[in-house]
């Protein structure tokens, strides 16, 4: 699965057809950005497993749509200073860095991924990304245990 970029008109048509599973609109420093998941029949849970990266709200909506048993949440934590530094390093590589938007997202993530919101979403397990190899191995073990 991958990103597909659509016009507002295309998004509205999918919505009219009842194909949008979840949609989020962000009022960013660069204008409104929309992200959404569409039921375009690419997802076949009987045949395949998928990795989806999203917000807590997208997780909750996907859980409602596919059922709680169909999803395994993997929440990865990183110390705030390190998270901010990595975001800053990534932004510096852009042709036109958008530092204002980086700051807005950092602060929004603090609120969106609060302990209260994690609990509300039923996410009780997390993985600390202070060592990539160790964190990766813990996640793999967690997934394998869930599949058995």
């Amino acid at each position: 699965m991958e990103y597909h970029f659509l016009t507002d008109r295309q998004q509205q048509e999918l919505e009219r057809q009842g194909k949008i599973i979840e949609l989020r609109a962000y009022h960013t420093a660069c204008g409104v950005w929309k992200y959404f998941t569409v039921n375009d029949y690419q997802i076949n849970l009987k045949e395949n497993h998928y990795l989806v990266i999203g917000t807590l709200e997208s997780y909750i909506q996907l859980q409602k749509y596919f059922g709680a048993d169909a999803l395994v949440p993997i929440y990865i934590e990183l110390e705030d200073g390190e998270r901010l530094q990595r975001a800053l390093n990534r932004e510096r590589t852009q042709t036109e860095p958008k530092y204002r938007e980086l700051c807005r997202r950092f602060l929004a993530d603090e609120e969106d991924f609060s302990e209260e919101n994690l609990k509300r979403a039923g996410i009780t397990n997390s993985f600390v990304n202070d060592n990539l190899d160790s964190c990766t191995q813990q996640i793999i073990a967690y997934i394998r245990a869930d599949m058995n």
Side-chain angles (χ1 to χ4, degrees), residues 23-121:
L23 180 143
R24 296 161 327 278
Y26 298 100
H27 301 275
T28 75
C30 304
V32 177
W33 292 354
K34 293 181 184 176
Y35 296 87
F36 53 93
T37 305
V38 175
N39 180 1
D40 58 1
Y41 309 105
Q42 289 186 58
I43 298 173
N44 182 344
L45 296 178
K46 290 181 179 161
E47 300 280 328
N48 300 300
H49 299 284
Y50 302 91
L51 176 65
V52 178
I53 299 171
T55 64
L56 285 179
E57 288 305 315
S58 66
Y59 169 72
I60 290 167
Q61 293 304 316
L62 289 167
Q63 194 177 42
K64 286 179 185 175
Y65 188 84
F66 291 109
D69 294 343
L71 280 80
V72 177
I74 299 171
Y75 180 67
I76 301 172
E77 292 185 57
L78 186 62
E79 188 270 325
D80 285 346
E82 182 66 24
R83 183 167 60 92
L84 183 58
Q85 186 63 58
R86 289 181 187 183
L88 184 58
N89 292 345
R90 279 191 306 273
E91 197 62 31
R92 282 187 172 137
T93 67
Q94 302 301 310
T95 305
E96 292 183 39
K98 294 178 174 56
Y99 298 115
R100 193 167 155 206
E101 176 57 17
L102 180 149
C103 292
R104 185 206 64 78
R105 276 185 86 170
F106 180 83
L107 295 173
D109 284 350
E110 281 296 301
E111 188 175 319
D112 292 345
F113 291 93
S114 68
E115 285 296 321
E116 179 182 298
N117 287 340
L118 288 167
K119 279 184 182 176
R120 184 175 59 85

